[in-house]
Structure formats: C-alpha cells, structure tokens
Amino acid sequence: MNPAPILISLSSFGASEVLQHGQLHYTWLAQAAGADGVEVRGELLASAAELPALAATGMVKVFSSPTGLWTDEGRLDLTALEQGLATARQLGAARLKMAIGGFSGADELPTLRRHLAHSAVELVIENDQTSSAGTVGALQRFFAAADAAGLDLGMVFDMGNWHWLGECPQQAAAALGARVRYVHCKGVQRERSRWIAVPIADSAAPWRAVLRSLPRTLPWAIEYPLQGADLQAITRSELGLLQDAREQA
C-alpha cells in the first residue's frame, strides 16, 4: 500500500510572499522539497491566468475556496460553489475545500445534493475559526442534516482551528473522526489574548496525540508558517517531521 500523501497548503509560505511571487513558484518549491502535492488557495490567486500553469504541474490536489458554502444571511451560495468546483476542475484538483459559512437549516440541502450529484470533484467541509462553522456542535448539526438529505460529505480536520473557539482537538477527533478525509496539520501557541499558528514542533498542543487519534491513511497537509533563508531545506525538514510522525503513529 502506498503511503498517504503529505501536501503543503500554499498559504504556509505567507500571504504577502505568495501574492508577490505567485503560487506556481511555491508549487515548484514544494515539489523540489519532496511534497506529494499542494493545496491552492483561492484568496491568493492573483487571477485566473495562473490556473493553466498550476494545473500543468500535476501537483494540485486540493483547491481551497475562501467563500462559505452558505452566506451570512443563511442562503446556499451556489455561485461560490460553482466557481469553486470549476476552479478545482481547471486545476486538476480532486477536492474542493469550503467551510459551511452561515448554514442555518436543511431546506437547501437537496439543491446542494443535485449540484454535486455528477461532479468529479469531491466537496469537503473544513472547520474554520468561526462559531457558525467551526465548532463541533455546528458541524455535527450540519452533517446530521446532510446525511438526512442523502449527502455523503467528508471533512477537512484543521487540528489548530479548534483552539480559536475554545474547543479540544482530541474531543473533536473523537466526535468527527469518521467524517475526516484530509487533515490540516497546524501548531498553535497562545500569544497575549490570541492564538497564533506556529510550526508543529513548537506547538503548545499535543499534536502527535491528535494525529494518532485519526486514521493513518488520510492525506495530511502542512498549514503552518514555513519561513527562513533556505526555504526549500526548511520545507523538506518539515515534511520529514510529518513523515516520521506518520510512521510512528
């Protein structure tokens, strides 16, 4: 059996740097460092003109949409969904990652089911840092309603984001682990009155225990700061750290 891939979310290289140099530059860097693929970030795309070159690398596994699946007013955002699916197809990405946004009820889930019925791109739902879309309770309510509507949706488990909402990642893994299709690996530390993302080895949270509580066969992605003079060497080292953690899990 081939080992599950380890990816890099391109936001890890820093928003300003990625906007300056482009996601293609960092995709090549990730490949040279040994990553199995990348997650392209919608908020860091300068224009649609970037998409063909990114697709040509064959490295794009996930497209991350910055827009919630439901609007703040509680309406299914079909425009955001269709744009996300189309961009993922252009990139050759098998998965589209979105948060649920302002989901408030089950009325529009049949519409979502119809829009996904013939899609080759898998929609996966991430726990973000908002109370409406990032708590265990909010996600359990959404997935229960989705199940009842005949939707089979998986989850992106961001192991760091739970801290922003005062929730325990291990308890979240116990409650939602069966849903998880993909893991965002993120270290966290408390700084004054807020949480910040840090390299996973510097995390104040028990990250190894969280990863051990999830299936080993899931793809993982680095989503924490990758910075330094020799960025390729640093990236290679961080990929190695996660690979060692997988082997020891």
Side-chain angles (χ1 to χ4, degrees):
M1 180 184 296
N2 292 329
I6 297 180
L7 315 180
I8 297 176
S9 171
L10 295 176
S11 59
S12 301
F13 295 108
S16 60
E17 289 79 5
V18 174
L19 288 169
Q20 178 181 356
H21 299 291
Q23 292 189 77
L24 181 62
H25 170 82
Y26 288 101
T27 297
W28 287 126
L29 189 153
Q31 185 178 53
D36 297 308
V38 299
E39 176 184 310
V40 166
R41 308 289 297 208
E43 71 273 21
L44 299 179
L45 280 172
S47 74
E50 291 185 78
L51 301 179
L54 284 164
T57 68
M59 286 284 287
V60 184
K61 309 303 180 187
V62 182
F63 173 63
S64 172
S65 170
T67 308
L69 195 52
W70 267 259
T71 67
D72 291 341
E73 293 72 37
R75 303 299 300 175
L76 178 62
D77 193 339
L78 288 176
T79 298
L81 174 64
E82 292 300 340
Q83 287 178 344
L85 291 170
T87 302
R89 287 192 296 269
Q90 285 180 271
L91 289 166
R95 285 179 167 142
L96 165 65
K97 177 178 76 66
M98 298 182 76
I100 58 175
F103 173 76
S104 59
D107 291 351
E108 293 182 292
L109 286 170
T111 301
L112 177 60
R113 186 186 66 236
R114 289 193 294 273
H115 275 75
L116 295 176
H118 304 294
S119 175
V121 175
E122 179 189 12
L123 174 66
V124 284
I125 303 299
E126 183 184 28
N127 59 297
D128 67 9
Q129 296 174 10
T130 68
S131 58
S132 65
T135 64
V136 170
L139 289 161
Q140 285 180 317
R141 287 190 292 274
F142 171 77
F143 284 124
D147 287 347
L151 273 163
D152 180 21
L153 293 175
M155 179 180 171
V156 182
F157 188 95
D158 187 304
M159 60 192 296
N161 282 353
W162 305 107
H163 295 274
W164 271 256
L165 297 166
E167 303 220 321
C168 171
Q170 287 174 279
Q171 291 178 358
L176 297 164
R179 295 276 180 187
V180 180
R181 304 289 182 270
Y182 172 44
V183 181
H184 269 183
C185 300
K186 180 185 292 178
V188 295
Q189 286 185 5
R190 187 74 174 173
E191 184 182 82
R192 298 185 180 89
S193 61
R194 66 188 183 112
W195 289 96
I196 61 169
V198 298
I200 201 162
D202 299 331
S203 184
W207 62 273
R208 291 181 186 272
V210 175
L211 289 175
R212 281 196 297 268
S213 67
L214 296 168
R216 290 180 59 191
T217 55
L218 300 174
W220 295 353
I222 290 175
E223 203 205 26
Y224 54 80
L226 295 171
Q227 299 171 336
D230 191 341
L231 193 51
Q232 184 174 312
I234 289 167
T235 303
R236 184 180 298 111
S237 176
E238 294 297 327
L239 289 165
L241 175 66
L242 285 184
Q243 186 58 54
D244 289 346
R246 189 189 290 283
E247 292 170 358
Q248 294 166 17

